[in-house]
Amino acid sequence: MNVAQIKILHIDSNHPLLWEQLEQAGFQNDADFTSSKEEIEAKIGNYQGIVIRSRFKIDQSFLDKATNLQFIARVGAGLESIDCEYAMQRGIHLIAAPEGNANAVGEQAIGMLLSLFNHLKKANNEVKSGQWIREGNRGHELEGKTIGIIGYGNMGKSFAKKLRGFDVTILCYDILPNVGDENATQVSLVELQEQADVISLHTPWTPQTDKMINSDFINQFKKPFWFINTARGNSVVTEDLVEALKAGKILGAGLDVLEYEKGSFETLFEGEKPAAFAYLLQADNVLLTPHIAGWTVESHQKLAQTIVNKITSFYSKQPF
C-alpha cells in the first residue's frame, strides 16, 4: 500500500536508522521528545502511528484521544507501559522488539553470574584499597551446576544458549507448554525449585509475575541459590530478597532491575533510601546495574532495525 499518508509520531529518541529508514520507506515522521503527556494527547489524533520507549504510559485516556492510531511500536522488549487490552479492542496493532536486545541481556546475565561466582566485585574493591586477600575470595565454578531459567522466551533462550559451553545442566520453567529446546529442558516449577543452584529471571511484567519472587517462593527452593534478575524489578519483593541474602538462602544476587525504578526506567526514586536498598548497596555479594542488560551499542541498532522491519511488514500486508 502507499504509506505516504501514514504519519508517525516519535516521542522518545532512538537510533537514527529508525527515522531514516521509515522516511526512506515513505512514511511521514514527526518528533516530540519534550512535551507533556497532555500535550501529546492533544495532537495524537493526527497520527496513524506512534513510536515510544517508556516516557509515559499509553493508557485508556491517551488511546481515547488517538482516534486514528493504527499501531504503537515500543522500542524495547515489553509492552507493560501500554494498556494492551484496550488498544487491541480499538484495533491498534502492537509492536515490540524483544529480539533486538536478547543477545545483550543473555551476555549480561552470564557476566553477572561469573562475577558473583568469582567474587570479582569484592576482590576488585579490596585490591584497590590495598588488600591482597586470596583465600577470602576463593570462588566457585559453573561446571556441574544446575541453572534454572524462569521465563523461556527470547531472553531466556539467549541466556541458555550462552551457557552451553560451561558443562552445566539447564532447566527452564515457563507458563507456556513445549518451549524447551536443545539448550534447556522444560520442567515444572517444583522440579526447578528442587534442583537449581542458580535462578535467572527472564519474565515480562504481568499481574502474574508482579512480586513473584517473595519469601514463600524463595523458601520453596531445596538448596541455597544464586539469583540473577535482568527482567523487571517489580517481580521481586526486595525486602524478602534481602532477608534471604542475610539468611544465606540466596548466596548472591545480580540485579539489573529494581522495584524502586520509575515506570520510565530512566531514574531510580526520590527521597530516603529504603532499608532493603541500603543493604543491597553495601553487600559484597550483590551486583547492581542501572537497567542496562539490553543496553548496548549493538542492541541500540538492532532494536531500531527490528521496529522498522515490523512496521514496514505490517503495512505491506494491509489492504487499505
Side-chain angles (χ1 to χ4, degrees):
M1 64 165 293
N2 183 4
V3 299
Q5 302 304 311
I6 303 299
K7 296 177 64 177
I8 301 173
L9 180 63
H10 301 247
I11 64 169
D12 288 290
S13 62
N14 286 292
H15 194 285
L17 77 79
L18 197 157
W19 181 287
E20 293 165 1
Q21 291 192 17
L22 288 175
E23 191 173 67
Q24 291 168 6
F27 295 93
Q28 298 181 51
N29 288 316
D30 287 336
D32 189 337
F33 303 155
T34 59
S35 292
S36 67
K37 180 182 177 183
E38 291 72 22
E39 290 169 329
I40 298 292
E41 285 178 346
K43 62 182 180 181
I44 192 59
N46 298 322
Y47 293 91
Q48 287 73 44
I50 186 169
V51 176
I52 66 170
R53 286 206 323 265
S54 302
R55 184 147 68 94
F56 52 72
K57 288 189 177 296
I58 307 297
D59 54 17
Q60 184 170 337
S61 171
F62 185 96
L63 293 169
D64 282 340
K65 296 175 175 62
T67 51
N68 292 301
L69 206 60
Q70 296 171 4
F71 76 85
I72 302 169
R74 180 170 181 267
V75 187
L79 294 169
E80 64 266 34
S81 61
I82 303 167
D83 187 335
C84 296
E85 183 177 353
Y86 191 67
M88 289 187 287
Q89 288 177 11
R90 296 283 306 275
I92 298 170
H93 183 60
L94 302 176
I95 298 170
E99 314 93 324
N101 60 359
N103 184 72
V105 170
E107 289 190 4
Q108 170 133 342
I110 289 285
M112 285 185 139
L113 185 55
L114 292 173
S115 182
L116 288 170
F117 267 44
N118 292 283
H119 306 294
L120 298 188
K121 171 188 172 184
K122 176 174 175 286
N124 172 75
N125 291 341
E126 287 172 353
V127 173
K128 287 186 174 181
S129 67
Q131 302 177 75
W132 190 260
I133 302 172
R134 297 185 67 218
E135 186 57 37
N137 287 302
R138 189 181 290 274
H140 299 269
E141 297 179 19
L142 269 176
E143 184 179 26
K145 302 296 191 296
T146 297
I147 314 299
I149 300 174
I150 299 179
Y152 204 60
N154 288 280
M155 311 302 173
K157 289 178 186 294
S158 173
F159 182 52
K161 181 179 179 181
K162 289 162 178 54
L163 285 166
R164 288 182 64 177
F166 287 96
D167 294 324
V168 294
T169 298
I170 308 172
L171 307 177
C172 67
Y173 168 73
D174 198 284
I175 60 172
L176 298 177
N178 304 316
V179 298
D181 57 18
E182 69 275 12
N183 298 323
T185 301
Q186 187 168 7
V187 297
S188 69
L189 181 58
V190 170
E191 187 172 350
L192 193 82
Q193 290 172 322
E194 287 177 350
Q195 298 189 34
D197 300 296
V198 173
I199 289 295
S200 189
L201 193 62
H202 296 280
T203 51
W205 182 88
T206 67
Q208 290 72 37
T209 63
D210 186 59
K211 298 178 175 56
M212 177 177 70
I213 310 300
N214 56 26
S215 292
D216 289 341
F217 186 91
I218 293 167
N219 289 331
Q220 294 301 312
F221 283 83
K222 182 177 180 181
K223 298 183 282 187
F225 62 93
W226 284 267
F227 178 66
I228 306 292
N229 186 11
T230 55
R232 288 292 183 260
N234 285 330
S235 294
V236 178
V237 179
T238 309
E239 289 184 358
D240 292 356
L241 172 67
V242 165
E243 289 306 310
L245 285 163
K246 290 178 178 178
K249 184 67 178 178
I250 292 180
L251 301 170
L255 308 174
D256 181 56
V257 289
L258 294 166
E259 67 170 306
Y260 311 115
E261 290 178 78
K262 296 290 189 182
S264 66
F265 306 139
E266 297 297 326
T267 57
L268 198 53
F269 57 84
E270 299 172 356
E272 186 177 353
K273 293 183 179 68
F277 183 52
Y279 178 87
L280 296 178
L281 290 176
Q282 57 81 36
D284 285 332
N285 61 341
V286 175
L287 292 174
L288 301 173
T289 54
H291 205 133
I292 56 169
W295 202 255
T296 62
V297 171
E298 293 81 4
S299 71
H300 190 38
Q301 181 170 339
K302 290 177 186 177
L303 286 165
Q305 188 65 64
T306 300
I307 293 297
V308 170
N309 293 346
K310 289 186 176 183
I311 292 173
T312 55
S313 175
F314 170 66
Y315 280 101
S316 70
K317 298 173 183 176
Q318 300 306 312
F320 51 83

